[in-house]
Amino acid sequence: HQIERHSRMSNELPVITSINLAGDPANATQADDLLIVTLRGGDGREVVAFHPGEAKPRWTAPRGALAFVRCAGDRVSPCVAGKRSPSGNVALVRIDPTTGELGEPLTEEGDIADATIDALGGSLAWVVDNSEVHEKPLQPGGRVQVLTPRRSGIHTIAYDPTGGILVSSNAAEGRSIVRLSEGRVDPVISAGQTVLSMVRPSPDGTQLLYRIRTLTSDLVEIRLP
């Protein structure tokens, strides 16, 4: 697998940095100039942080130790990691994206599939039991809210810059991306039996990047109405 990063120099010519990945990407986030990727493996997930232009990773978490890493708006610090316990449960903890060092816990352990931080770094939301989205202020002591009634098959989430939270749902009755906002559940994409994941809106909320998986995996970008 290969990820390509695009940037621009002062003369406006694109610069492309290719990163070869020894596995199937399950999750990814960016922290300033670092790209942090979670790779699937038969003996657990591995998290690797890359800097463009460098052949070796900046750091690698031990396989099976972390389930994912997500940063504010998937672009900058602060970041959280899903720390996996020996029982297989996951707790959200702070993580230094430059070193991979773990910090204070932010949630109790549970069946946490994914998490997201809003672009301003003030709110944290996460998926519990693949059926509920919980949210709390990122600062310690904030009260946890359950945002929606139970909804089967919730897989990945991301804050929508225009408001609410985007959720990929891989329920048996149909796979889709929906927007959760103030008790409402609004459809965004209906995908039939195609598996959807890694929902990533653009900073202005006008475009949506997501991953689809049938026999192969592809990234799809659409323009939102």
Side-chain angles (χ1 to χ4, degrees):
H1 295 268
Q2 181 169 287
I3 288 180
E4 292 187 346
R5 291 168 54 102
H6 297 251
S7 60
R8 289 189 177 273
M9 300 175 63
S10 58
N11 59 5
E12 294 303 310
L13 291 176
V15 178
I16 300 175
T17 301
S18 294
I19 298 173
N20 291 309
L21 302 174
D24 177 27
N27 213 319
T29 195
Q30 190 168 330
D32 298 308
D33 57 356
L34 284 177
L35 178 65
I36 304 173
V37 184
T38 304
L39 303 174
R40 289 188 180 90
D43 53 351
R45 292 185 174 189
E46 181 181 37
V47 175
V48 186
F50 296 92
H51 187 280
E54 295 180 358
K56 295 183 178 180
R58 282 290 179 92
W59 57 265
T60 301
R63 188 173 291 279
L66 303 180
F68 52 81
V69 174
R70 297 291 297 273
C71 300
D74 287 304
R75 285 173 173 80
V76 296
S77 298
C79 305
V80 297
K83 181 182 178 182
R84 196 176 292 281
S85 70
S87 68
N89 284 332
V90 171
L92 298 180
V93 302
R94 290 186 183 270
I95 185 170
D96 182 342
T98 62
T99 64
E101 181 179 354
L102 301 181
E104 63 180 314
L106 297 167
T107 68
E108 297 181 353
E109 290 183 4
D111 184 6
I112 300 177
D114 195 18
T116 183
I117 303 175
D118 73 321
L120 297 178
S123 295
L124 170 68
W126 62 99
V127 179
V128 178
D129 296 332
N130 291 111
S131 59
E132 291 182 348
V133 174
H134 294 191
E135 184 181 42
K136 63 175 284 188
L138 192 56
Q139 299 305 316
R143 186 171 62 89
V144 176
Q145 299 184 68
V146 179
L147 297 188
T148 61
R150 295 180 68 87
R151 180 183 180 88
S152 63
I154 297 179
H155 187 57
T156 58
I157 60 175
Y159 275 100
D160 185 345
T162 64
I165 294 177
L166 295 167
V167 170
S168 70
S169 175
N170 293 324
E173 61 270 18
R175 282 128 185 207
S176 62
I177 296 175
V178 299
R179 181 183 288 105
L180 311 178
S181 180
E182 298 180 350
R184 291 170 51 89
V185 180
D186 297 316
V188 176
I189 295 167
S190 178
Q193 294 304 307
T194 301
V195 177
L196 301 170
S197 64
M198 285 180 63
V199 177
R200 298 293 187 271
S202 61
D204 61 3
T206 62
Q207 292 179 299
L208 180 63
L209 183 72
Y210 58 95
R211 187 178 183 188
I212 61 172
R213 189 169 75 249
T214 49
L215 297 177
T216 61
S217 296
D218 296 291
L219 289 175
V220 176
E221 187 173 59
I222 65 167
R223 180 167 292 278
L224 295 174

